[in-house]
Amino acid sequence: FRITAVVPYFAYGQQTQKLKSRVPVSASDIATLWEEMGVDQVMSVDVHCGQIAGFFSPRCCLDNLSCLPAMAKYLWQKGLHDPVVVAPHATGVPRAKEFLDVLVGVIRDS
């Protein structure tokens, strides 16, 4: 049998680098913990950083599911007119552009 962990929020998902010496990379520790528990597959929503998939061995895969299509459809159904998408900081720009592309697709398909 296979064990699939459905994890809506990947705790410590933003801790992908060492900040100080002797401080663990917490996302890596969580991946190791799940693998040691026998998990074969992890499904999570909007993992902060793609490199987290690299913390898992080939035996255990990470499926990063996106909520952007559902969120874009929901917001469009609320009657948005001339929406503006902004990023909270420079590193959030690619994610904002991705959401904009999805939102434009939803608007175009309506």
Side-chain angles (χ1 to χ4, degrees):
F1 64 94
R2 292 181 47 83
I3 299 174
T4 300
V6 179
V7 184
Y9 176 74
F10 192 116
Y12 304 104
Q14 294 186 14
Q15 295 179 4
T16 58
Q17 299 175 1
K18 280 189 170 229
L19 300 177
K20 299 177 188 173
S21 65
R22 297 184 180 247
V23 174
V25 179
S26 299
S28 175
D29 290 344
I30 296 296
T32 302
L33 176 71
W34 286 335
E35 286 190 48
E36 290 297 319
M37 293 171 54
V39 172
D40 299 300
Q41 179 180 12
V42 176
M43 298 173 78
S44 192
V45 179
D46 291 324
V47 173
H48 176 73
C49 184
Q51 79 185 60
I52 289 175
F55 294 145
F56 291 89
S57 72
R59 187 187 66 75
C60 181
C61 65
L62 171 68
D63 291 331
N64 183 18
L65 309 174
S66 176
C67 72
L68 295 182
M71 189 167 69
K73 185 176 179 181
Y74 172 80
L75 291 173
W76 182 245
Q77 289 173 345
K78 289 294 182 187
L80 289 177
H81 296 286
D82 300 323
V84 176
V85 177
V86 297
H89 43 73
T91 58
V93 171
R95 182 119 170 105
K97 286 182 178 180
E98 181 183 2
F99 178 69
L100 178 63
D101 291 342
V102 172
L103 183 59
V104 166
V106 167
I107 293 169
R108 189 176 326 120
D109 293 343
S110 296

